[in-house]
Amino acid sequence: YGPRVDERLRKACVERLLPCIVDSQPLPRDLFESTFRRVIRRVGLETWEWEKTLGVACALFRGYQHQLKQGNYAMALEPDRNTRDYLFGRLLAIAEHLEQRALYAAGEKRDTHAVKLMQRFADHPCATWRQIELALNPSRSRLRGRSPGYLHQLEQQIDQIVEKFQDGDFTEDRKLTGEFLLGYHCQRAKLNEPRPHVTTAESNEASKSEVTS
């Protein structure tokens, strides 16, 4: 509910959560769903508040699935996981990262298309992904002149993720579940890990080598 929650609502929520903590009762599904919708809408949330809500939503989803014995998820990226929602989450994170790098290089400050279209992506992932990917073309052009090797790595990751989709999963446009947030969160963390400094000359040489191989 965020820091501005009504006190009565907060107390009612705590009372519902106590049996989960004391008696290991399942988490109320509506609380997770409410948190999930707050994350994908992002309306009126400060950056720190949204980041915190994202972490809470991922933890709730992971705990809820574990209680139902419907899967064990790590809180680190699982490259071999090929479930539809997890893969869509990874794609969104890479698209966001690619555009952010291009904006930073150009000295611009604005929301990426991945951020603006997050709610629509959660409701219609396949159709919205086409829109996001087309919107990445200017960012690709910028990075191609500045960090071609790194751009090539990101594009390779996108291709590898798309190849992991099972038959029909990519084109099926049904809504995403909380698993997509987990894939998104873990992929973001992986992409934001510090990486060694690479000069433009080294980047060009790496790109040539990768294309040749």
Side-chain angles (χ1 to χ4, degrees), residues 75-91:
M75 285 306 288
L77 182 65
E78 300 179 71
D80 296 328
R81 187 175 288 278
N82 61 359
T83 49
R84 170 183 176 270
D85 292 13
Y86 195 86
L87 294 175
F88 268 124
R90 292 186 62 191
L91 284 177

Side-chain angles (χ1 to χ4, degrees), residues 106-175:
E108 294 183 30
K109 290 185 177 181
R110 61 169 174 79
D111 286 339
T112 64
H113 287 84
V115 169
K116 293 176 183 176
L117 297 173
M118 193 174 198
Q119 182 175 354
R120 190 184 303 175
F121 184 81
D123 292 336
H124 304 285
C126 181
T128 310
W129 173 249
R130 296 192 189 100
Q131 186 177 353
I132 290 172
E133 194 164 30
L134 286 173
L136 286 177
N137 287 335
S139 298
R140 285 189 170 107
S141 297
R142 285 176 180 172
L143 289 182
R144 194 168 288 116
R146 296 171 179 265
S147 304
Y150 191 54
L151 173 63
H152 184 67
Q153 290 177 28
L154 294 176
E155 291 179 327
Q156 272 191 323
Q157 288 186 58
I158 290 174
D159 291 342
Q160 289 165 1
I161 292 170
V162 171
E163 288 174 0
K164 286 180 178 290
F165 281 88
Q166 307 293 312
D167 292 342
D169 277 355
F170 184 77
T171 54
E172 188 176 352
D173 218 24
R174 70 179 188 272
K175 291 184 178 182

Side-chain angles (χ1 to χ4, degrees), residues 4-211:
R4 293 172 293 278
V5 63
D6 177 79
E7 182 62 20
R8 288 178 297 177
L9 184 58
R10 188 192 70 80
K11 287 183 67 175
C13 181
V14 170
E15 287 177 3
R16 296 181 66 197
L17 288 174
L18 280 175
C20 306
I21 299 168
V22 177
D23 301 323
S24 299
Q25 294 295 314
L27 288 164
R29 183 177 179 84
D30 64 292
L31 292 182
F32 164 70
E33 293 293 345
S34 175
T35 309
F36 173 76
R37 301 310 296 182
R38 287 189 83 235
V39 172
I40 63 174
R41 284 173 184 155
R42 305 181 73 151
V43 177
L45 297 181
E46 300 288 342
T47 300
W48 68 267
E49 188 179 352
W50 179 81
E51 293 282 356
K52 181 178 180 179
T53 308
L54 173 62
V56 170
C58 289
L60 287 175
F61 172 80
R62 182 170 177 262
Y64 187 79
Q65 294 297 109
H66 180 72
Q67 286 180 333
L68 296 181
K69 296 181 169 54
Q70 294 182 355
N72 291 316
Y73 294 88
M75 285 306 288
L77 182 65
E78 300 179 71
D80 296 328
R81 187 175 288 278
N82 61 359
T83 49
R84 170 183 176 270
D85 292 13
Y86 195 86
L87 294 175
F88 268 124
R90 292 186 62 191
L91 284 177
L92 188 67
I94 294 175
E96 179 184 74
H97 183 79
L98 193 158
E99 189 171 359
Q100 280 178 337
R101 297 280 299 187
L103 290 173
Y104 179 79
E108 294 183 30
K109 290 185 177 181
R110 61 169 174 79
D111 286 339
T112 64
H113 287 84
V115 169
K116 293 176 183 176
L117 297 173
M118 193 174 198
Q119 182 175 354
R120 190 184 303 175
F121 184 81
D123 292 336
H124 304 285
C126 181
T128 310
W129 173 249
R130 296 192 189 100
Q131 186 177 353
I132 290 172
E133 194 164 30
L134 286 173
L136 286 177
N137 287 335
S139 298
R140 285 189 170 107
S141 297
R142 285 176 180 172
L143 289 182
R144 194 168 288 116
R146 296 171 179 265
S147 304
Y150 191 54
L151 173 63
H152 184 67
Q153 290 177 28
L154 294 176
E155 291 179 327
Q156 272 191 323
Q157 288 186 58
I158 290 174
D159 291 342
Q160 289 165 1
I161 292 170
V162 171
E163 288 174 0
K164 286 180 178 290
F165 281 88
Q166 307 293 312
D167 292 342
D169 277 355
F170 184 77
T171 54
E172 188 176 352
D173 218 24
R174 70 179 188 272
K175 291 184 178 182
L176 298 173
T177 67
E179 186 183 22
F180 120 82
L181 286 182
L182 196 59
Y184 168 80
H185 184 43
C186 293
Q187 183 67 67
R188 277 177 88 231
K190 185 68 176 177
L191 288 167
N192 289 328
E193 287 178 353
R195 62 191 189 94
H197 176 72
V198 179
T199 65
T200 303
E202 289 172 335
S203 179
N204 287 331
E205 191 61 35
S207 182
K208 291 177 186 176
S209 174
E210 288 161 352
V211 172

